[in-house]
Amino acid sequence: FCVRGGSESGCRDPLNRLSVWNKLCYAIGGAPYQITGSALGFFLQIFLLDVAQLDPFHASIILFVGRAWDAVTDPTVGFLVSRSRWTRIGRMMPWILFSTPFAMLTYFLIWYVPPFEQGKVVWYLIFYCLFQSMQTCCCFHVPYSALTMFISNDQKERDSATAYRMMVEVLGTVLGTAIQGQIVGGDTNCPTEPDEHDSRNSTSTSIVSLNETKQAYLISSGVICIIYIFCATVLFLGVKEKKESGRKVSQLTFCQGLWLVMGYGPYIKLVIGFLFTSLAFMLLEGNFALFITYALGHRKDYQNILLVIMLSGTVTIPFWQWFLSRFGKKKAVYFGITWAVPFMILIVCIKSNLIISYLVSVAAGVSVAAAFLLPWSMLPDVVDDFKVKNPDIHGHEALFYSYYVFFIKFASGVSLGVSTLSLKFAGYVTGSCSQPEAVSLTLKVLVSPVPVALIAVGLLILWTYPIDEERRQGNRKLLQEMLPLCVSPGCSPIL
């Protein structure tokens, strides 16, 4: 029961409840990160190798350094965000608004092929790092992710908002894959199958086709930049952080925050477990376009196969939200992530067949949805568990999110760098319509045996994760009891 302007305690559910509009606006705010992330994840490697025509070694440096730089900035920004003070538009929103124009500019320049050869590597390295910095420092994966803890104190409302967010973010991956894939996917002068070429076009694509492909990448990046502005605007207009006068700004030093977060057992088990499972899906994502093109020979269809995976994931997000509510989050993790394993094995064991490739893509998309939803649904549970154990420590939410993102992004950089370097050792020929058999074998290893092994290790670690449904519900009750009085008109409960 909530009494506005009275002295009665409670003031909980009515003011913690989020409208469908609030949840949708919050969810739309996360779309730009996934749109740009899916475009970069699926297409940047093949763009650097076949369009910018960089040496695989140089491409591996760009991919690794860009992601590693992104990872390093996350904890730093998480520390700064945790010490941010309230402004008239909130604590998180200024970071998000400030970065948007810079992020758009640097993203567009990533897909531009400069008219010189000597400085190409430096060009892509600078703008890739700058874009990652803008995304991290002021956009979504630190302040936006931490915003989850500030839109409501009710666990169910946060889980519901997270489900909306995951649905829109998977739609974002679909949109990013569709825009990038459909605009640039058909621009090639190579034959559909690897055995249908002659000596003239097996060496490289024609100059005319290459220029058209460069133009297509610029068009697709421009479209994505426009969507970026729209989503950031909707987030700003539709989501308001509540001014909570009782919430204290973190007074922890950087080292204290690091020790605080890294010393918390449930958080470490959750992060390391998802580190391995996420690394598996990142390897699959980063190499799948090349795998479809050169190992399976579906050059004209790779963008459609990628789109089918994302569409399948989008459709199954509501199912996973129901599943984790009905059976618990740990069971959802095991069932959802292991679902992909048989199909990872099948895709490399069967002879190349387009219909089977599409069927496997539909099935694999189900696990992609689980991999999207579950980590972000379980992180708030760890934060709540920490609050119960440490009620006197405040303003630490962004630290938990930023360090999680640090490990995931650093692992992503390692996976992309190592996989691209592996292609160089296998003899990858930049700009060629066909590749040596060793490249095909390397791609098969990168999308099946290695991810399967990583998933197995990750699930074993998650087996020891201690926050089950009983403990989660107990924490929820304890946090509700910790809510202080709310007596002023329009105030909101705080922790």
Side-chain angles (χ1 to χ4, degrees), residues 166-343:
M166 292 302 108
M167 172 68 79
V168 173
E169 288 192 354
V170 174
L171 283 171
T173 64
V174 172
L175 195 57
T177 305
I179 293 171
Q180 197 86 351
Q182 298 304 313
I183 293 177
V184 308
D187 286 308
T188 177
N189 212 34
C190 293
T192 303
E193 299 297 334
D195 58 350
E196 295 177 1
H197 64 277
D198 56 37
S199 59
R200 288 176 299 175
N201 62 24
S202 65
T203 303
S204 62
T205 57
S206 69
I207 296 176
V208 174
S209 177
L210 183 60
N211 288 334
E212 290 175 351
T213 303
K214 292 177 182 178
Q215 188 68 26
Y217 272 102
L218 288 178
I219 293 172
S220 63
S221 64
V223 173
I224 288 175
C225 286
I226 294 172
I227 297 173
Y228 202 122
I229 297 176
F230 171 77
C231 293
T233 303
V234 170
L235 175 67
F236 173 69
L237 295 178
V239 177
K240 302 298 180 185
E241 296 178 59
K242 300 173 183 177
K243 185 172 183 179
E244 299 174 343
S245 59
R247 185 184 291 273
K248 299 178 181 178
V249 176
S250 175
Q251 299 300 320
L252 299 172
T253 66
F254 184 84
C255 292
Q256 287 174 333
L258 175 63
W259 179 260
L260 179 77
V261 172
M262 303 311 297
Y264 196 61
Y267 178 76
I268 292 299
K269 291 176 181 178
L270 182 74
V271 168
I272 295 178
F274 278 121
L275 175 66
F276 280 95
T277 58
S278 298
L279 187 55
F281 284 98
M282 288 172 189
L283 275 173
L284 188 65
E285 177 191 58
N287 295 281
F288 206 57
L290 289 171
F291 171 74
I292 295 170
T293 301
Y294 295 114
L296 298 183
H298 304 320
R299 180 181 298 275
K300 297 290 187 181
D301 297 279
Y302 81 90
Q303 73 277 7
N304 297 323
I305 294 174
L306 296 177
L307 184 58
V308 166
I309 294 175
M310 295 296 101
L311 285 171
S312 174
T314 303
V315 171
T316 51
I317 280 283
F319 166 77
W320 288 120
Q321 178 63 20
W322 169 83
F323 190 98
L324 66 87
S325 299
R326 177 68 176 82
F327 299 102
K329 296 181 181 181
K330 287 186 70 172
K331 290 181 180 178
V333 167
Y334 274 86
F335 185 77
I337 293 179
T338 54
W339 175 266
V341 172
F343 302 101

Side-chain angles (χ1 to χ4, degrees), residues 49-50 53-56 202-205 290 294 299 423-436 439:
L49 293 173
D50 289 353
Q53 298 193 344
L54 297 180
D55 181 81
S202 65
T203 303
S204 62
T205 57
L290 289 171
Y294 295 114
R299 180 181 298 275
L423 295 176
K424 178 176 176 60
F425 292 139
Y428 188 93
V429 182
T430 299
S432 177
C433 291
S434 62
Q435 298 294 336
V439 172

Side-chain angles (χ1 to χ4, degrees), residues 43-84:
F43 297 98
L44 183 59
Q45 185 185 48
I46 198 170
F47 170 81
L48 294 175
L49 293 173
D50 289 353
V51 181
Q53 298 193 344
L54 297 180
D55 181 81
F57 175 72
H58 293 148
S60 69
I61 292 176
I62 293 169
L63 294 171
F64 171 72
V65 172
R67 290 297 181 96
W69 172 257
D70 185 22
V72 169
T73 58
D74 275 309
T76 305
V77 175
F79 170 72
L80 295 174
V81 169
S82 70
R83 298 177 69 88
S84 297

Side-chain angles (χ1 to χ4, degrees), residues 99-132:
S99 74
T100 297
F102 299 102
M104 288 186 303
L105 177 62
T106 52
Y107 178 80
F108 182 81
L109 292 175
I110 288 174
W111 302 105
Y112 174 71
V113 180
F116 46 80
E117 292 296 327
Q118 293 299 323
K120 270 187 180 180
V121 176
V122 176
W123 173 279
Y124 290 114
L125 195 57
I126 288 175
F127 286 111
Y128 189 38
C129 288
L130 284 175
F131 172 72
Q132 297 289 16

